[in-house]
Amino acid sequence: MEAFDYEDIQLIPNKCIIKSRSDADTSIKFGPKTFKIPVVPANMETVINDDLAIWLAENGYFYIMHRFQPEKREGFIEMMHAKDLYASISVGIKDDEYKFIDELAEHNNKPEYITIDVAHGHSDFVIKMIHYIKEKLPDSFLIAGNLGTPEAVREIENAGADATKIGIGPGKACITKLKTGFGTGGWQLAALRLCSKAARKPMIADGGIRFNGDIAKSVRFGASMVMIGSLLAGHEESPGSVISIDGKKYKQYWGSASEKQKGAYRNVEGRQMLVPYRGEISDTLFEMQQDLQSSISYAGGKELKDIRTVDYVVVKNSILNGD
């Protein structure tokens, strides 16, 4: 198996057929809705909150609310629907989550999107939850993860998931590969390529994105949506306070499996860090869209799917090494 990651790959240009990159269409239909770009902020407490979810939904972007304030989720769905916006939530697999799903069904409070958010999603218990949600809330678009193998994708899709999330520990705040010896850290893009060969439904590439060009590379290797954490964590709208150090501004960022998130040092596979303050998130998302439009023009296409067919070369870290 060929192992590579984002920095190892360069996409090869095709003849351009559009006059301006602004003619390129970056939109993606994902589940029941169509979004401006194939980018979703990570469903982490330092990346997404209620206010940002509202802004994203109002402005044509996909979001997934995190699951770390479980008591607020039903009220969140009600709030989004009261604003005539779509609701997208996360759930786990603990016993209490079944009661929560029962309550949503009983109150007819049905989110448009549900994500089963588990570090190791190729699990009998995830499959059990998929079956339960599909029985109780069949109209919700169900995403399940995280996965890292074709076998996992096949089994989770066959269980009834409408989309899968790919990536075991490749994120900047994740230390799964160091703590356990397992995961897709260091070969996330190759894992995505491998999983795409088995996938029959949409995939979210989750983790390892360091540059905007990595979004196009994710699309090339099969992603319908790209989940981004650290690059979207440092904005004015991001949860948390701005911290100034030696005249430079930062925001806190931590992994979902970190000691900070868990509130105790147990089974820790994430870490805390500071990320540079990046101003308004609207500017970053617009820049991502423009860069993706340029990617489409280099691919010789007019829309996102045209990136899927371009050739590529393995350059083995030459870009980051300055060669």
Side-chain angles (χ1 to χ4, degrees), residues 6-314:
Y6 288 99
E7 65 267 26
D8 304 320
I9 295 295
Q10 285 290 281
L11 305 178
I12 299 176
N14 287 330
K15 180 182 178 182
C16 183
I17 60 169
I18 55 177
K19 190 173 183 179
S20 167
R21 71 177 180 186
S22 61
D23 296 331
D25 181 6
T26 62
S27 66
I28 180 75
K29 188 177 189 305
F30 187 73
K33 299 186 70 66
T34 297
F35 302 100
K36 286 182 180 177
I37 55 175
V39 168
V40 55
N43 52 336
M44 302 164 71
E45 202 170 23
T46 49
V47 181
I48 185 78
N49 61 10
D50 288 13
D51 290 341
L52 184 52
I54 292 168
W55 185 88
L56 291 166
E58 286 176 339
N59 287 275
Y61 297 103
F62 186 45
Y63 76 89
I64 302 173
M65 177 53 68
H66 63 75
R67 59 180 171 84
F68 299 110
Q69 294 174 310
E71 70 283 356
K72 294 184 178 180
R73 288 177 299 185
E74 188 163 7
F76 173 79
I77 298 168
E78 292 171 351
M79 175 194 69
M80 296 301 283
H81 287 167
K83 295 177 179 291
D84 200 27
L85 300 171
Y86 73 92
S88 176
I89 63 165
S90 301
V91 299
I93 54 173
K94 293 181 178 179
D95 291 345
D96 287 349
E97 299 290 59
Y98 290 88
K99 182 180 178 184
F100 171 61
I101 297 300
D102 287 340
E103 289 171 352
L104 294 185
E106 182 183 340
H107 301 155
N108 199 32
N109 193 14
K110 301 173 181 178
E112 284 77 4
Y113 296 85
I114 300 176
T115 297
I116 301 175
D117 181 35
V118 179
H120 183 21
H122 191 192
S123 156
D124 287 338
F125 299 98
V126 169
I127 291 169
K128 181 182 175 185
M129 180 59 80
I130 290 171
H131 291 159
Y132 200 79
I133 291 173
K134 277 300 176 185
E135 176 190 344
K136 297 288 184 175
L137 301 169
D139 295 330
S140 293
F141 187 84
L142 182 58
I143 303 159
N146 279 25
L147 313 175
T149 65
E151 294 82 5
V153 170
R154 275 191 289 266
E155 193 164 0
I156 295 303
E157 283 188 351
N158 289 339
D162 298 304
T164 55
K165 194 144 72 76
I166 310 301
I168 307 289
K172 199 169 186 178
C174 194
I175 54 173
T176 299
K177 69 176 182 179
L178 304 180
K179 295 280 281 184
T180 71
F182 286 83
T184 62
W187 63 288
Q188 166 71 1
L189 193 58
L192 183 65
R193 175 179 179 266
L194 205 60
C195 289
S196 72
K197 295 183 180 299
R200 295 294 176 265
K201 298 176 182 178
M203 297 187 303
I204 300 176
D206 180 12
I209 303 297
R210 301 290 182 265
F211 304 98
N212 289 356
D214 295 343
I215 301 168
K217 293 176 187 179
S218 299
V219 172
R220 165 60 182 85
F221 288 102
S224 295
M225 192 67 69
V226 183
M227 179 167 273
I228 299 178
S230 60
L231 280 185
L232 290 177
H235 294 91
E236 179 65 33
E237 299 86 353
S238 305
S241 303
V242 176
I243 298 170
S244 292
I245 302 176
D246 296 331
K248 294 183 178 179
K249 292 182 178 181
Y250 301 88
K251 276 204 165 187
Q252 279 185 298
Y253 176 62
W254 58 77
S256 295
S258 66
E259 180 181 3
K260 174 73 172 177
Q261 185 67 70
K262 290 170 178 279
Y265 193 88
R266 62 176 189 275
N267 305 121
V268 170
E269 294 177 24
R271 57 187 166 201
Q272 294 187 67
M273 63 183 65
L274 295 176
V275 295
Y277 176 75
R278 295 189 174 95
E280 303 288 332
I281 197 170
S282 58
D283 294 336
T284 295
L285 291 171
F286 183 59
E287 181 185 352
M288 287 178 173
Q289 182 174 15
Q290 288 186 314
D291 288 346
L292 201 48
Q293 287 176 314
S294 292
S295 298
I296 292 169
S297 73
Y298 276 111
K302 294 181 179 180
E303 53 193 59
L304 208 55
K305 68 179 180 61
D306 296 322
I307 296 175
R308 292 272 172 100
T309 56
V310 301
D311 289 331
Y312 65 93
V313 291
V314 181

